[in-house]
Amino acid sequence: MPLVNVIRGERIEPAPFNVRTPYLRVPLWLVLAAWTAKWLWRLFVIYLRFWYVTLPLTGLLALYVRFGWWGPGLALGIPACGLTTWALWHWPSFRRWAWWPTLARWRRFRYRRIWQPAMVTAGLSVSFDSHTILPVLKKVRVVGGTDELTVRMVTGQIPDDFARVSERLMHTFAALGCKVTPGNRPDLVRLTMRRTDPLTTPVGPLPVGAPDYMALPVGLREDGGVYELRLHGTQVLVVGATGAGKGSVIWSIVRALAGGVFAGLVQLWAFDPKGGMELGAGERLFARFTCTDFKAMADLLELALSEAQGRAARLRGHARQHTPSVTEPLIVIIIDELAALTAYVTDRQTKDRIKAALGLLLTQGRAVGVHVIGCLQDPRKEVLPFRNLFPTRIGLRMAEEPEVDLVLGDGMRDRGALCDRIPMSLPGVGYVVLDGDPTPVRVRFSYNTDSHIAALADTYAFDSARVLDGELA
Ligand SMILES: Nc1ncnc2c1ncn2[C@@H]1O[C@H](COP(=O)(O)OP(=O)(O)OP(=O)(O)O)[C@@H](O)[C@H]1O
Ligand SMILES: [Mg+2]
């Protein structure tokens, strides 16, 4: 309420506040001294923070002061000669113990420089109680052409939060690929940034040996090692657009099994519904080969099923997994286009027979040594019911993004299986996903030319005389 002078009847205006700041005279020497102290402190902090640069420089300076140019010259020259000799003498150990750790330190510095904006723009920073909390970059390790970043997540985050933005992280850190996997502690996540691509050049045929069904060499991994596919106890689905290299996956597996075919321990049953164009070249390797008659294909699938069921009856109570032998070989059914059998067959009865036999084979066959390797060009709905019956799935180049999770399983694209981003120039490159394993593995399958296949068929042709089992002969 305003104040009023009751005698004069006038309104009394309140006196304004005195807002003048007190005048304090600071001497110039004090200002300069404070500034100098501040900057000296900052330099000291920088000196400590970058000790790995500043300490050696101090040492070199001390040597220069004491011995002149000879001091730092010898201090640098002797280790340089030693390192060069080591690198020339044994490059793998030099790379492992000297080059990669140095590179990792440099890369860690680079990652840290843009860590904050990268986390904020990817939506991985958390605002809480007017604070912004960032995931912590704990360690950077260089292995081959990849950087492995170990990151401590903010409380409440899970690895899938990082997986969802893996593509964004890949571009932010200028990498060729980013794979997200759980770390070795529940609060850690590992980001594997691919810097170079060792899979740009085609991989030639791999040597043939006695097959190890747990580890068939079929191609190269992106860390440069040989990728070994497990066939024992599994069924394999290969999906890729036309020209993606499904043929090279088939021939890589056939090549890895060829030693077993020759020894009579493996029988390959080939179904090539595209008229024999793909598998016809190696017909002599196959114990059974069918390419035009869908009824014959249905018969063959039913024969394989009855063999699987017979084996199951024989093994029941004795063993839980079949061991291939000459009398009871591993049967590998190779189907070049699965959809041709399950979706495009016009005769309803044949189609139903094929579907029933295939479904049962996929579920009952893997424990008794009857395996299916099915290729699929178009992951359409009709074929999808079978998808979950294949514990091992290989995704090559695909046309569209949603196909990836449809075929490989939910969340696989986020976890790094960017099948829709594989360029046409890289046929035979794909991602292998194993049931229960959250990490897709990027692989380039080996490529067998027509002449390689012909030579393989000449050397390891299936000899029916070796088949002792009268039922199958
Ligand atoms: N692993 C590989 N390395 C290098 N080149 C490859 C590889 N696989 C395939 N190619 C090349 O890509 C071409 C197409 O491959 P392929 O016939 O295997 O594709 P596909 O997926 O079977 O296609 P389609 O569905 O049309 O049968 C091959 O002729 C070959 O030139
Ligand atoms: Mg093909």
XYZ file of all heavy atoms in Angstrom, residues 1 12 30:
24
model
N 0.851 -1.191 0.000
C 0.000 0.000 0.000
C 0.891 1.247 0.000
O 1.826 1.337 0.801
C -0.877 -0.039 1.244
C -2.182 0.630 1.040
S -3.263 0.252 2.416
C -3.065 1.691 3.367
N 3.677 9.877 -0.510
C 5.126 9.947 -0.271
C 5.810 8.890 -1.139
O 5.481 7.701 -1.061
C 5.451 9.674 1.213
C 4.722 10.677 2.109
C 6.953 9.709 1.457
C 4.809 10.350 3.575
N 49.214 -6.058 -8.126
C 48.472 -7.178 -7.551
C 47.714 -7.944 -8.640
O 47.670 -9.181 -8.677
C 47.493 -6.639 -6.503
C 46.873 -7.692 -5.584
C 47.948 -8.442 -4.821
C 45.892 -7.041 -4.614
